[in-house]
Amino acid sequence: MASTDTPGTFSIQTARETFISVTDDGKDIHGDAETISFNTAVCIRMQARFKPNLKANKETKAKGKISKKELENAVGRKLDEDEVRKLKKARLEGDYHEKLLDVRVKGKHDKYS
């Protein structure tokens, strides 16, 4: 079970529904703790290749990948690097359409806009 006290730690529950704990001096390990506490928190470390990949993390990476050509097609004109960076950042943050409209308006040669 994931420990709620400290992030990144787990409490290991035995078959008898008790938790594995360590004594205060750190020399003995017991499997008789009734509740989750600091002594039952265990940090499990593993190699990166065995860590589970989060799908949400992959989705955010895929959402951020958009080519300069796609952005130029959406705006309707050539973009400079600063505008491309702004639009890519806005796509990750979630205000892409607002920034897209701002860039479109900026590119028009209308003195009243």
Side-chain angles (χ1 to χ4, degrees):
M1 320 179 87
S3 179
T4 57
D5 296 337
T6 52
T9 60
F10 298 90
S11 294
I12 301 173
Q13 192 171 17
T14 64
R16 295 185 179 147
E17 298 195 9
T18 58
F19 295 97
I20 294 176
S21 64
V22 179
T23 58
D24 289 329
D25 58 1
K27 292 182 180 180
D28 296 325
I29 298 174
H30 297 281
D32 58 356
E34 300 281 329
T35 60
I36 296 174
S37 66
F38 180 76
N39 292 341
T40 61
V42 178
C43 181
I44 300 174
R45 297 181 185 203
M46 63 181 79
Q47 292 179 351
R49 65 181 176 164
F50 296 120
K51 283 188 180 179
N53 293 332
L54 300 176
K55 289 185 179 182
N57 192 12
K58 287 183 180 179
E59 290 172 3
T60 56
K61 284 184 180 179
K63 190 176 182 182
K65 289 185 179 179
I66 185 169
S67 68
K68 182 178 178 180
K69 191 170 193 167
E70 287 176 300
L71 290 173
E72 288 174 349
N73 288 339
V75 173
R77 64 176 175 87
K78 294 265 185 189
L79 298 174
D80 60 352
E81 294 301 317
D82 185 46
E83 291 172 329
V84 171
R85 241 182 277 121
K86 251 187 235 179
L87 288 173
K88 285 185 177 183
K89 185 177 179 183
R91 190 170 162 105
L92 284 175
E93 292 175 352
D95 59 346
Y96 169 71
H97 295 288
E98 297 168 20
K99 298 290 182 180
L100 182 66
L101 289 174
D102 290 343
V103 170
R104 279 185 177 173
V105 169
K106 181 185 168 198
K108 293 194 178 197
H109 295 290
D110 187 7
K111 64 179 181 179
Y112 297 110
S113 64

